[in-house]
PDB file of all heavy atoms in Angstrom:
ATOM      1  N   VAL A1074      25.756  96.420  20.429  1.00 98.00           N
ATOM      2  CA  VAL A1074      26.836  96.949  21.260  1.00 98.00           C
ATOM      3  C   VAL A1074      28.186  96.757  20.578  1.00 98.00           C
ATOM      4  O   VAL A1074      29.065  97.623  20.622  1.00 98.00           O
ATOM      5  CB  VAL A1074      26.808  96.272  22.648  1.00 98.00           C
ATOM      6  CG1 VAL A1074      28.116  96.468  23.385  1.00 98.00           C
ATOM      7  CG2 VAL A1074      25.649  96.817  23.474  1.00 98.00           C
ATOM      8  N   LYS A1149     -11.463  71.640  64.735  1.00 96.00           N
ATOM      9  CA  LYS A1149     -11.463  70.520  65.684  1.00 96.00           C
ATOM     10  C   LYS A1149     -12.059  69.320  64.975  1.00 96.00           C
ATOM     11  O   LYS A1149     -13.217  69.339  64.549  1.00 96.00           O
ATOM     12  CB  LYS A1149     -12.286  70.869  66.931  1.00 96.00           C
ATOM     13  CG  LYS A1149     -12.294  69.779  67.983  1.00 96.00           C
ATOM     14  CD  LYS A1149     -13.128  70.205  69.180  1.00 96.00           C
ATOM     15  CE  LYS A1149     -13.190  69.092  70.229  1.00 96.00           C
ATOM     16  NZ  LYS A1149     -14.057  69.477  71.384  1.00 96.00           N
ATOM     17  N   LYS A1158     -20.073  68.775  67.935  1.00 95.00           N
ATOM     18  CA  LYS A1158     -18.919  68.459  68.773  1.00 95.00           C
ATOM     19  C   LYS A1158     -17.589  68.785  68.083  1.00 95.00           C
ATOM     20  O   LYS A1158     -16.530  68.584  68.679  1.00 95.00           O
ATOM     21  CB  LYS A1158     -18.947  66.971  69.150  1.00 95.00           C
ATOM     22  CG  LYS A1158     -20.143  66.576  70.006  1.00 95.00           C
ATOM     23  CD  LYS A1158     -20.075  65.106  70.387  1.00 95.00           C
ATOM     24  CE  LYS A1158     -21.267  64.720  71.269  1.00 95.00           C
ATOM     25  NZ  LYS A1158     -21.211  63.291  71.675  1.00 95.00           N
ATOM     26  N   PRO A1162     -13.366  73.525  59.836  1.00 97.00           N
ATOM     27  CA  PRO A1162     -12.733  74.689  59.213  1.00 97.00           C
ATOM     28  C   PRO A1162     -13.233  74.963  57.792  1.00 97.00           C
ATOM     29  O   PRO A1162     -13.195  76.097  57.321  1.00 97.00           O
ATOM     30  CB  PRO A1162     -11.242  74.331  59.214  1.00 97.00           C
ATOM     31  CG  PRO A1162     -11.199  72.844  59.237  1.00 97.00           C
ATOM     32  CD  PRO A1162     -12.396  72.437  60.049  1.00 97.00           C
ATOM     33  N   ASP A1179      -7.604  96.750  44.899  1.00 97.00           N
ATOM     34  CA  ASP A1179      -7.512  98.185  44.604  1.00 97.00           C
ATOM     35  C   ASP A1179      -8.166  98.418  43.255  1.00 97.00           C
ATOM     36  O   ASP A1179      -8.668  97.471  42.623  1.00 97.00           O
ATOM     37  CB  ASP A1179      -6.055  98.670  44.627  1.00 97.00           C
ATOM     38  CG  ASP A1179      -5.156  97.860  43.705  1.00 97.00           C
ATOM     39  OD1 ASP A1179      -5.480  97.781  42.497  1.00 97.00           O
ATOM     40  OD2 ASP A1179      -4.146  97.297  44.160  1.00 97.00           O
ATOM     41  N   ILE A1195      -6.974  74.852  47.871  1.00 98.00           N
ATOM     42  CA  ILE A1195      -7.621  74.645  49.169  1.00 98.00           C
ATOM     43  C   ILE A1195      -7.651  73.146  49.418  1.00 98.00           C
ATOM     44  O   ILE A1195      -8.095  72.377  48.566  1.00 98.00           O
ATOM     45  CB  ILE A1195      -9.062  75.193  49.198  1.00 98.00           C
ATOM     46  CG1 ILE A1195      -9.085  76.703  48.946  1.00 98.00           C
ATOM     47  CG2 ILE A1195      -9.727  74.888  50.542  1.00 98.00           C
ATOM     48  CD1 ILE A1195     -10.472  77.299  48.883  1.00 98.00           C
ATOM     49  N   ASN A1203     -16.890  60.517  56.570  1.00 96.00           N
ATOM     50  CA  ASN A1203     -17.487  60.554  57.904  1.00 96.00           C
ATOM     51  C   ASN A1203     -16.621  61.234  58.962  1.00 96.00           C
ATOM     52  O   ASN A1203     -16.878  61.106  60.163  1.00 96.00           O
ATOM     53  CB  ASN A1203     -17.843  59.139  58.363  1.00 96.00           C
ATOM     54  CG  ASN A1203     -16.634  58.222  58.434  1.00 96.00           C
ATOM     55  OD1 ASN A1203     -15.553  58.583  57.947  1.00 96.00           O
ATOM     56  ND2 ASN A1203     -16.808  57.035  59.040  1.00 96.00           N
ATOM     57  N   PRO A1206     -12.574  67.610  59.087  1.00 97.00           N
ATOM     58  CA  PRO A1206     -11.128  67.840  59.237  1.00 97.00           C
ATOM     59  C   PRO A1206     -10.770  68.705  60.441  1.00 97.00           C
ATOM     60  O   PRO A1206     -11.585  69.502  60.936  1.00 97.00           O
ATOM     61  CB  PRO A1206     -10.752  68.542  57.933  1.00 97.00           C
ATOM     62  CG  PRO A1206     -11.988  69.251  57.524  1.00 97.00           C
ATOM     63  CD  PRO A1206     -13.124  68.354  57.931  1.00 97.00           C
ATOM     64  N   THR A1219       1.451  98.888  42.317  1.00 94.00           N
ATOM     65  CA  THR A1219       2.131  99.740  43.296  1.00 94.00           C
ATOM     66  C   THR A1219       1.192 100.276  44.376  1.00 94.00           C
ATOM     67  O   THR A1219       1.641 100.908  45.322  1.00 94.00           O
ATOM     68  CB  THR A1219       2.817 100.920  42.593  1.00 94.00           C
ATOM     69  OG1 THR A1219       1.858 101.607  41.771  1.00 94.00           O
ATOM     70  CG2 THR A1219       3.957 100.426  41.704  1.00 94.00           C
ATOM     71  N   ARG A1224       1.485  94.483  53.555  1.00 97.00           N
ATOM     72  CA  ARG A1224       0.719  94.915  54.732  1.00 97.00           C
ATOM     73  C   ARG A1224      -0.766  95.039  54.403  1.00 97.00           C
ATOM     74  O   ARG A1224      -1.628  94.677  55.217  1.00 97.00           O
ATOM     75  CB  ARG A1224       1.260  96.246  55.236  1.00 97.00           C
ATOM     76  CG  ARG A1224       0.610  96.732  56.519  1.00 97.00           C
ATOM     77  CD  ARG A1224       1.327  97.948  57.065  1.00 97.00           C
ATOM     78  NE  ARG A1224       2.689  97.619  57.471  1.00 97.00           N
ATOM     79  CZ  ARG A1224       3.523  98.510  58.002  1.00 97.00           C
ATOM     80  NH1 ARG A1224       3.145  99.770  58.169  1.00 97.00           N
ATOM     81  NH2 ARG A1224       4.747  98.138  58.351  1.00 97.00           N
ATOM     82  N   LEU A1241      -1.085  82.961  59.101  1.00 98.00           N
ATOM     83  CA  LEU A1241      -0.871  83.482  57.753  1.00 98.00           C
ATOM     84  C   LEU A1241       0.615  83.632  57.495  1.00 98.00           C
ATOM     85  O   LEU A1241       1.344  84.223  58.297  1.00 98.00           O
ATOM     86  CB  LEU A1241      -1.559  84.843  57.591  1.00 98.00           C
ATOM     87  CG  LEU A1241      -1.235  85.634  56.315  1.00 98.00           C
ATOM     88  CD1 LEU A1241      -1.766  84.908  55.086  1.00 98.00           C
ATOM     89  CD2 LEU A1241      -1.796  87.046  56.398  1.00 98.00           C
ATOM     90  N   LEU A1243       3.202  85.052  54.457  1.00 98.00           N
ATOM     91  CA  LEU A1243       3.296  85.792  53.208  1.00 98.00           C
ATOM     92  C   LEU A1243       4.748  85.834  52.739  1.00 98.00           C
ATOM     93  O   LEU A1243       5.659  85.951  53.559  1.00 98.00           O
ATOM     94  CB  LEU A1243       2.788  87.223  53.380  1.00 98.00           C
ATOM     95  CG  LEU A1243       1.297  87.413  53.664  1.00 98.00           C
ATOM     96  CD1 LEU A1243       1.006  88.879  53.971  1.00 98.00           C
ATOM     97  CD2 LEU A1243       0.463  86.957  52.476  1.00 98.00           C
ATOM     98  N   ALA A1247       8.463  89.169  44.070  1.00 90.00           N
ATOM     99  CA  ALA A1247       8.768  90.274  43.163  1.00 90.00           C
ATOM    100  C   ALA A1247       8.033  91.519  43.617  1.00 90.00           C
ATOM    101  O   ALA A1247       6.882  91.449  44.039  1.00 90.00           O
ATOM    102  CB  ALA A1247       8.363  89.921  41.740  1.00 90.00           C
ATOM    103  N   ALA A1289      15.097  97.708  38.816  1.00 96.00           N
ATOM    104  CA  ALA A1289      14.236  98.794  39.283  1.00 96.00           C
ATOM    105  C   ALA A1289      14.421  99.068  40.765  1.00 96.00           C
ATOM    106  O   ALA A1289      14.285 100.212  41.218  1.00 96.00           O
ATOM    107  CB  ALA A1289      12.779  98.467  38.981  1.00 96.00           C
ATOM    108  N   ASN A1309       8.866  73.560  19.947  1.00 98.00           N
ATOM    109  CA  ASN A1309       9.012  74.251  18.665  1.00 98.00           C
ATOM    110  C   ASN A1309       8.972  75.776  18.817  1.00 98.00           C
ATOM    111  O   ASN A1309       8.391  76.482  17.981  1.00 98.00           O
ATOM    112  CB  ASN A1309       7.946  73.768  17.676  1.00 98.00           C
ATOM    113  CG  ASN A1309       7.997  72.266  17.467  1.00 98.00           C
ATOM    114  OD1 ASN A1309       9.025  71.719  17.079  1.00 98.00           O
ATOM    115  ND2 ASN A1309       6.901  71.590  17.778  1.00 98.00           N
TER     116      ASN A1309
END
Side-chain angles (χ1 to χ4, degrees):
V1074 163
K1149 182 180 178 182
K1158 296 182 179 181
D1179 54 56
I1195 299 177
N1203 60 349
T1219 53
R1224 185 172 295 181
L1241 170 66
L1243 293 173
N1309 303 303

